[in-house]
Amino acid sequence: MTVIVVMGVSGSGKTTVGKAVAEELGVEYAEADTFHPKANIEKMTAGHPLTDEDREPWLAAIALWIAEHQKSGGVVSSSALKRRYRDVLRGGWDVWFLHLHGSRDLLAERMKTRSGHFMPVSLLDSQLADLEPLEPDEPGETFDISRPPADLVESALTAFRKSA
């Protein structure tokens, strides 16, 4: 069964949309932040962007979760900023990427107004600089986050079901 990876930079709504998609599909949802080693959280909280090396154990942990959910399906969030990160997550498994994309201003505003999250707005530009959009051979679709979450969920589910 396919696992959906809800991807995008910080503030794009991965958790909100991911939880709703998982609920609609009746599958488990996993939050990417819970897979980060403590050192990664501390580094980002201090305003320092992660390196590719920092992301390796995080990506491996998410890929393992994806592998473990191939029979049941699931939804997991992950920034999945670069093609090579998505290749790790795919790892030969059945994965579909739901890319949430929006303007820098909207993303920054969302990050400023949310509470209880470690990611500072100062790291948004580094994430946007690293972001590589989905390529035509990658399974998935990109959605504009200026739309209401319920519309995004409905559109994403429609696109996902058509791809199956």
Side-chain angles (χ1 to χ4, degrees):
M1 203 166 176
T2 304
V3 171
I4 296 174
V5 176
V6 183
M7 63 171 278
V9 299
S10 190
S12 61
K14 294 183 298 291
T15 301
T16 300
V17 172
K19 284 181 177 178
V21 167
E23 186 174 320
E24 286 291 324
L25 294 174
V27 297
E28 186 178 346
Y29 171 76
E31 171 60 49
D33 291 339
T34 64
F35 294 94
H36 273 299
K38 185 180 178 191
N40 283 7
I41 301 289
E42 291 171 353
K43 188 172 184 177
M44 290 183 285
T45 301
H48 303 289
L50 297 179
T51 64
D52 287 349
E53 184 178 71
D54 293 329
R55 287 187 175 98
E56 286 176 11
W58 174 67
L59 291 167
I62 296 170
L64 178 61
W65 189 92
I66 290 169
E68 292 170 345
H69 288 79
Q70 283 298 288
K71 289 186 180 179
S72 61
V75 177
V76 62
S77 63
S78 171
S79 56
L81 299 174
K82 296 180 181 181
R83 167 73 187 243
R84 67 177 172 263
Y85 302 167
R86 296 189 295 271
D87 289 345
V88 169
L89 297 178
R90 226 181 354 261
W93 302 110
D94 190 5
V95 174
W96 192 82
F97 293 100
L98 191 172
H99 179 191
L100 298 173
H101 180 71
S103 72
R104 187 205 181 283
D105 289 344
L106 178 56
L107 292 161
E109 185 58 34
R110 286 181 172 192
M111 290 176 76
K112 288 176 193 171
T113 59
R114 69 182 176 183
S115 60
H117 198 278
F118 61 85
M119 180 70 94
V121 177
S122 62
L123 292 181
L124 178 58
D125 288 331
S126 69
Q127 284 202 324
L128 289 169
D130 281 350
L131 179 63
E132 297 172 358
L134 286 175
E135 295 181 24
D137 66 326
E138 292 183 280
E141 195 164 321
T142 301
F143 299 89
D144 184 344
I145 64 167
S146 64
R147 298 168 52 199
D151 289 353
L152 288 171
V153 170
E154 183 180 330
S155 295
L157 286 168
T158 298
F160 170 67
R161 288 177 175 133
K162 283 182 182 176
S163 74

